Amino acid sequence: MSPRGVAIPDLRERLFDAAERIVAREGAAALTSRAVTGEAGCAKGVLHTHFGGVDAFVAALVLDRFARGAAQAQGLPDRAGQDTVAANVTRVALGLLDSLDPRVVGLAMSSDATARQIRAALADGAPGFTAIQDALAAYLDAERRLGRLPEGTDTDTTALALVGTVHHLLMTGGWPGAPDPREQAGKLVALLVL
């Protein structure tokens, strides 16, 4: 609610978008509740009112972006037989890489409170990398049934390798001197989906 008790449309998304702009522009250290609410054009206390603090806000942001990636991946099995397998898998990998600034993930993992909230939500079934991995494996199974992947393809391990690598790239990318994660993801897809 705004200071006058009027609901702010899409408040969560406004705050999340504001946080991402701040991190992109100034780095993760600049992510404060005052900076986020100022960037979003909201009252100063609204982040604490709706999330309880910055740690819970960052956890909610990370979980929201993971859920978006999972929702995108859920449609992947329906793409079986369309485009190329490599193009479809690359689209998911790049979508995951683009889902969240690696510095936000780093910020989330550097706070024990935030990391605990994320782990607890994922353990309680919040969509995350496991949902993405399952959707990717289902897609690869469908492509194998269509004959677009070799019969002996281990789809579960292929999905694990891809999602695990993208998770690693999210955790270690975005820093000066880090290899281009998009290029690395492309190389992995080429290796896994021959």
Side-chain angles (χ1 to χ4, degrees):
M1 294 280 190
S2 71
R4 295 181 185 197
V6 177
I8 301 171
D10 303 318
L11 176 64
R12 284 175 56 92
E13 194 56 38
R14 281 179 58 190
L15 292 170
F16 290 162
D17 289 345
E20 291 176 323
R21 287 191 304 272
I22 291 166
V23 171
R25 187 175 61 235
E26 302 171 43
L31 195 63
T32 64
S33 65
R34 185 174 293 239
V36 172
T37 55
E39 180 79 18
C42 299
K44 290 179 183 146
V46 78
L47 185 142
H48 286 278
T49 299
H50 287 276
F51 295 96
V54 174
D55 287 334
F57 171 75
V58 172
L61 170 60
V62 169
L63 290 165
D64 180 81
R65 296 323 192 221
F66 286 172
R68 279 186 179 188
Q72 178 188 12
Q74 292 306 311
L76 190 57
D78 295 336
R79 294 196 48 79
Q82 301 173 31
D83 207 344
T84 66
V85 175
N88 289 329
V89 172
T90 299
R91 192 174 297 113
V92 170
L94 296 182
L96 288 173
L97 287 173
D98 292 340
S99 67
L100 194 58
D101 189 310
R103 295 171 292 187
V104 174
V105 176
L107 180 64
M109 295 301 106
S110 67
S111 163
D112 288 340
T114 305
R116 272 194 312 272
Q117 289 178 39
I118 292 169
R119 282 193 299 270
L122 293 173
D124 285 343
F129 286 98
T130 301
I132 296 165
Q133 181 181 329
D134 292 345
L136 183 57
Y139 164 74
L140 294 172
D141 285 340
E143 291 289 18
R144 187 179 59 197
R145 285 190 299 275
L146 291 173
R148 292 177 16 123
L149 285 176
E151 186 58 38
T153 300
D154 183 344
T155 57
D156 289 331
T157 302
T158 300
L160 172 63
L162 183 70
V163 172
T165 299
V166 171
H167 181 261
H168 169 74
L169 293 172
L170 268 174
M171 295 298 294
T172 61
W175 310 105
D180 178 8
R182 296 174 73 82
E183 182 181 320
Q184 290 181 305
K187 287 179 181 179
L188 179 65
V189 169
L191 179 69
L192 291 174
V193 187
L194 295 174

